[in-house]
Amino acid sequence: MTGMRIVGNVTHLPTTTFGHRTSMWWGTLGYVVIEGSTLLICAVAYVYFRKNFQTWPPERVFRPGLTAAAVQAAIMLLSNWPMVLVDRAARRLDLRAVQRGMVLITVLSIAMCVLRGFEFQALNVRWDSNAYGSAAWAVLTTHAILLLLQTVETIVFTLLLFSPNLEQRDLSAASDNALYWYFMTGSWIPLAAVVFLMPYLV
Amino acid sequence: MKTDELEPGRLPATVDELVPQLEATWHQEPTFLGWLRSVDHKSIATRYIATAFVFFLLAGLEAAAMRAQLSRPENRILGPDAYNQFFTMHGTTMMFLFAVPIMQAVGLYLVPLMIGARNVAFPKLNAYGYWVYLFGGVFLYVMFFLNTGPDAGWFAYVPLSGPAFSPGKRVDVWAQAITFTEIAALVASVELIVTTFKNRAPGMTLNRMPLFVWAMLVQSFMVLFAMPWVATASQFLAMDRLVGTHFFNPVEGGDALLWQHLFWFFGHPEVYIIFIPALGMVSAIVTTFTGRQVLGYSAMVLSMIATGVLGFGLWVHHMFATGLPQMGESFFTASSLMIAIPSGIQIFCWLATIWAGRPRLTVPFLFVAGFVVLFIIGGFTGVMIASVPFDQVVHDTYFIVAHFHYVLIGGAVFPLFGAFYYWFPKITGRQLSERLGRWNFWLFFLGMNVTFFPMHLLGFEGMPRRVYTYLPETGWGDLNLLASAGATMIAFSVLLFLVNVVRALRSGIPAGNDPWGGDTLEWAASSPPRPYNFPIIPVVDGQGPLWRHPVELPGVAGLRTDVREVLVTTLLDAEPDSRHRHPPPTIWPLLAAIGTTILFVTLIFTPWGVVIGMPLLFLAFLGWAWPRGRDHREQVAIEQEVRPAEARP
Amino acid sequence: MNALDAQGQAGLVMGALWDPMLLMATVTFVVVVGVLLWAIFRRRGGNEAPDDPTRDRSLGRVVGVGVLLTTLVLLVCLGLDISVGRAITATPGKDAVQIRVTGHQWWWEVHYRDLVPQRWVTTANEIHVPVGRPVVIELRSTDVIHSFWPPELTGKRDLIPGKTNSLWLQADRPGEYRGQCAEFCGHQHAKMAFLVVAEPADSFAHWLETQRDTALTPSDSLTRRGQEVFLASSCPMCHAISGTPAGSRVGPDLTHLASRRTIAAGTLRNTRGNLAGWIIDPQSIKPGAKMPPNELSPADLEALLAYLETLR
């Protein structure tokens, strides 16, 4: 072992940091890239199939219903505000505010899951009817998996916030959660536009 | 960062005082259970390398069987059904179970050491990635031995691989094996990126990172962007086969070419994913054995980045025979030609480095020289097949087989063997025999040429790929026999390597921490390194830190020694930013991998696999992530800083 | 079937692309390996420092020149590639023979197209072309992806279900040009070959006319018995013979079987012995092929073979 000599000291460095200062945030960003690519690929397949059909949707398929998707999009967009507040509260180390905010986020998450069920119905096509149906279901299912994983993580994190095992550094998970949340809601808007609006436009 | 800006606080006077507590805190349990619970990157990477090498041997045996079958016309060693499984397994094993994992594994071992870190960024995730990889590979081979191995090629073109023309579960096994290896590869790439971004030694700015670290960083980004394409495509195929979707069914608006676009959008970057780490290995070996840094550091880094980016713009050159519009095809000719430029830059820089330095003809260096010769042959045929009209002559013939074996064996496997010889002493503490190594090298080099050079001619003579036999009147018998003879030489050379490894492990000369006189930080650690890598975190003030400080490395202390703590630094300038707690050994990553395996294997047989597998995964996630073993210091911190919010009215 | 002996478009490609690229590659290889060996083995002075900044700068310039030369060579390649590409895809004139090839697992269905539907010709695995006249081949598939490639005549093109591709070729010399399927298509991909027979214009015209005829009615008792054996076995389930009730398109059309040089998609020479072996047990020759074994008494087989030999 080559000899080493001490020239400096890092004891003063904090053990709790937030956002891009943490490794976990970058790991979450990596996950965002992976999931984002997967969603993009599903959307690409959907758009690619347009050239194989005379009409869009294909003959004898109704256009998708828009109500559920519109409500979902609205809730998703609006939910970013409480998430921002949770992120800020965590950075302030305001545990109560984080707890309150995460309970609200949990409720919103569950509501989104329920709405997703209605969105599947609103597609008006089965996954095994034709390539249009397969691609539309692929987009919705991939995003639904994202939503489901987010809901589970949200619930677990919220429970942890009320646990005596909570440590200060666990609060930085709130900012990672926030990143994931923005991605989940943000990615849904263009995807919903493709799957629900494109049949009305082309 | 100037080292005299930091004031030493209540620190020990010498580094040695830290060692006993570090040994205790970072202790690896020597039991089997301890091995299962390990979260040490070196332990995980070593088993990754060993496992990948086993798959390399298995794929080699498959190749040997294929070469035996093809050595004579109308041979009867393997019938069509067996042969189709063999060539599919050979390709799938080499590409998914050997090449990518082993390159990432070498990175997972070396990158933390080279950047002065104690571990990768997410130790539990690293363990999980390995187990998923292992279980996926084992699953594939169990099915193969049960005569349910995939048989539609490693590329599984539809409609042949679809439900109508590949009944049974063979292709589903392939699709799910992809999922396992894809998860492992993505996990490893996230590890490498985040570790390189956030755990570099203080002072190791981006332009002081070793070229091997840059190579792994570029490769990891490529994995991140490329893998989802094959994963999603294989899920589309799995769904076509299992639940009746129509992604690739032309009758219902699906598209056979969509598969090819999706697969090759991954498939072309895949070969650069395999190749770019090898470029990093070559740079490391050239540096040490010429006694100087590689000439043109910035050009080298930019070339690797350019190769990585350009690699995503070539994929249609695999589809030149499918009847796509000519204008589009010409674009891909141009990009496929252009990518030769950054590779050329690197070769010229290495040649200049060798010319200027004092080369030492050790075995690692021999493999690098062999790489140069073989890779440029493969590169030239690559330039040729970038041309649409020429490719339409040789596409799907043995000319292509020759091309990619030259670039993969020459461009990736030779540097890899060089890397084995170079870093073996560091990993095991023993030296490999130089004499046996030379025999290994020459036999491999000659065998490789005897096997694959004739295949260029076979391609011109009209021999297509993926044929289990051929008629005597084609006249292909002689060249095939020659190729098979070459394959025997390769087999012997690999055997020599195994003998070398076994003998070295049993009774090889013990290696000190720096047997070659290297310049990068891993040579400062002991051979093999301690679980915590370095007792204090090194401070870096230029490229090649060990040549700059040959006697004593400067470093920063202050990380806790009673728990596993690592240093987090800033992204661009690597200034110390925070201290991060790492987990002790745990069984949960293994359990989570088992849950993952159950989920994906049951999904082959029924969509209800989701209902069975997801709850198991959820439980494993809870066990993994739920905090246990509270730290008193951290607890107190919460009391003082966080809870006071409750006291407010 | 050697592309190095190619004529027509393939010949142009090999001559205009392969030859110059081979030369370029060989020269560059010799230079680079030469530099490598020189760099390793050159004599070094005692106090020649490994990293001398001045020398590094001049080395950098040399590297720059190398990169520039590489780029120029690649640009030349690009130019060659595009111009040769244009030359071989230029659509041929109006007098081209129009053929449609449909790929099946593991044989080639061949149609000669005509403006008059009744004049279409159906055959399998063997394509005749007139020397010196362009031939346009439309490519389709009914099952999986195949690829059509006669190395001495042209580059390949895939047959993709759901898509219609086409290529054109022209034989400048008479001869028999063999090709094989060049896209993995399942069990018998290895034995899915075809023949392109190039002949002078008048013999091609004669061949095409005879292919248009319906099958000759059997004239003696043996061949009549052979036809009965054919129609009574499972053969008509897959094979058609025009002029008889057998009209299935699942397998190759047999109306002019005896005029073909090979059977089983180029696997065997079309001799009586080979044909007998193929009919009795196709699986031993092409395991996995879609043709089942046929149990026939020696007398029935004899008659059948006699009948099939009349199908010229």
Side-chain angles (χ1 to χ4, degrees), chain B residues 102-186:
Chain B
I102 207 165
M103 294 299 185
Q104 293 189 305
V106 174
L108 288 171
Y109 190 100
L110 288 172
V111 167
L113 285 162
M114 280 187 177
I115 64 175
R118 289 223 161 121
N119 202 337
V120 290
F122 310 115
K124 290 188 279 193
L125 187 66
N126 199 20
Y128 171 76
Y130 170 73
W131 295 120
V132 167
Y133 158 71
L134 176 69
F135 296 153
V138 166
F139 162 67
L140 177 68
Y141 269 85
V142 165
M143 296 308 264
F144 176 48
F145 292 141
L146 293 177
N147 198 28
T148 315
D151 61 350
W154 85 281
F155 52 98
Y157 273 8
V158 297
L160 180 63
S161 59
F165 300 101
S166 281
K169 290 302 176 188
R170 288 175 166 184
V171 174
D172 303 284
V173 167
W174 178 86
Q176 287 301 53
I178 299 295
T179 312
F180 283 96
T181 58
E182 165 247 342
I183 289 176
L186 286 169

Side-chain angles (χ1 to χ4, degrees), chain B residues 186-255:
Chain B
L186 286 169
V187 160
S189 70
V190 169
E191 293 282 5
L192 287 166
I193 292 173
V194 179
T195 309
T196 307
F197 276 2
K198 300 301 292 174
N199 293 108
R200 297 199 308 281
M204 187 179 273
T205 54
L206 288 175
N207 65 346
R208 291 175 185 167
M209 289 196 327
L211 288 172
F212 177 74
V213 175
W214 271 110
M216 294 313 302
L217 187 64
V218 169
Q219 186 240 35
S220 298
F221 270 103
M222 292 186 77
V223 168
L224 206 62
F225 284 104
M227 286 286 169
W229 292 79
V230 72
T232 313
S234 70
Q235 288 314 298
F236 285 174
L237 178 61
M239 287 195 281
D240 268 19
R241 295 173 59 86
L242 190 66
V243 295
T245 49
H246 298 288
F247 293 102
F248 306 117
N249 178 10
V251 175
E252 291 287 359
D255 207 299

Side-chain angles (χ1 to χ4, degrees), chain A residues 48 51-52, chain B residues 157 255-262 264-265 313-333 388-389 391-392 395, chain C residues 85-86 88-89 139 145 147 156-160 162-167:
Chain A
Y48 186 93
K51 70 173 178 58
N52 292 345
Chain B
Y157 273 8
D255 207 299
L257 279 184
L258 177 65
W259 170 265
Q260 295 191 28
H261 281 296
L262 293 178
W264 290 117
F265 193 82
L314 310 188
W315 83 94
V316 173
H317 72 213
H318 298 270
M319 297 166 66
F320 279 160
T322 59
L324 293 173
Q326 198 185 12
M327 176 85 103
E329 288 178 341
S330 299
F331 169 81
F332 288 94
T333 296
V388 174
D391 183 62
Q392 286 175 343
H395 170 71
Chain C
R86 288 246 180 83
I88 62 168
T89 50
L139 301 164
I145 301 180
S147 196
K156 60 182 62 70
R157 197 74 85 252
D158 288 351
L159 290 71
I160 302 173
K163 193 177 194 286
T164 301
N165 276 338
S166 81
L167 59 69

Side-chain angles (χ1 to χ4, degrees), chain A residues 30-74:
Chain A
Y31 184 76
V32 163
V33 168
I34 294 165
E35 278 302 307
S37 299
T38 310
L39 291 167
L40 176 70
I41 295 160
C42 293
V44 160
Y46 180 91
V47 172
Y48 186 93
F49 288 139
R50 175 67 186 91
K51 70 173 178 58
N52 292 345
F53 291 95
Q54 302 277 43
T55 62
W56 197 253
E59 279 143 15
R60 291 189 302 281
V61 176
F62 287 115
R63 290 178 181 151
L66 294 178
T67 325
V71 173
Q72 176 83 287

Side-chain angles (χ1 to χ4, degrees), chain A residues 168, chain B residues 632-644:
Chain A
Q168 187 182 68
Chain B
H632 176 70
R633 273 202 231 173
E634 292 294 313
Q635 206 67 26
V636 169
I638 285 257
E639 296 293 330
Q640 290 171 343
E641 294 182 47
V642 178
R643 302 272 185 231

Side-chain angles (χ1 to χ4, degrees), chain B residues 414-606:
Chain B
F414 265 63
L416 182 67
F417 270 75
F420 284 155
Y421 278 89
Y422 182 48
W423 278 298
F424 186 89
K426 175 58 56 184
I427 299 177
T428 63
R430 304 279 185 155
Q431 288 270 41
L432 286 168
S433 151
E434 280 283 295
R435 212 179 113 257
L436 267 180
R438 261 185 272 281
W439 276 95
N440 179 187
F441 167 75
W442 284 109
L443 207 52
F444 201 172
F445 183 79
L446 283 168
M448 193 268 160
N449 281 297
V450 171
T451 310
F452 295 105
F453 202 84
M455 291 186 183
H456 294 108
L457 295 164
L458 278 172
F460 282 137
E461 288 184 10
M463 184 171 180
R465 294 172 70 174
R466 302 155 185 157
V467 291
Y468 76 99
T469 190
Y470 51 92
L471 299 178
E473 47 261 41
T474 55
W476 298 334
D478 291 339
L479 286 176
N480 268 294
L481 188 59
L482 183 61
S484 298
T488 323
M489 290 172 73
I490 297 179
F492 269 110
S493 82
V494 174
L495 189 64
L496 275 181
F497 175 74
L498 287 173
V499 166
N500 202 351
V501 167
V502 168
R503 280 174 65 181
L505 288 175
R506 284 231 198 107
S507 53
I509 309 167
N513 59 295
D514 191 11
W516 306 112
D519 67 320
T520 37
L521 286 174
E522 77 271 25
W523 302 108
S526 47
S527 297
R530 304 309 304 154
Y532 47 84
N533 292 347
F534 306 99
I536 59 174
I537 306 300
V539 167
V540 165
D541 58 358
Q543 292 175 12
L546 238 64
W547 286 352
R548 298 172 70 89
H549 304 277
V551 176
E552 208 177 41
L553 272 179
V556 290
L559 292 176
R560 287 172 67 176
T561 53
D562 58 325
V563 293
R564 298 183 176 209
E565 228 180 41
V566 303
L567 185 65
V568 175
T569 54
T570 60
L571 201 161
L572 288 175
D573 293 324
E575 285 173 6
D577 192 42
S578 64
R579 296 175 288 128
H580 188 57
R581 177 101 56 79
H582 267 195
T586 161
I587 199 71
W588 286 103
L590 173 59
L591 296 178
I594 293 173
T596 310
T597 306
I598 294 175
L599 172 67
F600 287 126
V601 172
T602 51
L603 271 177
I604 291 182
F605 299 99
T606 163

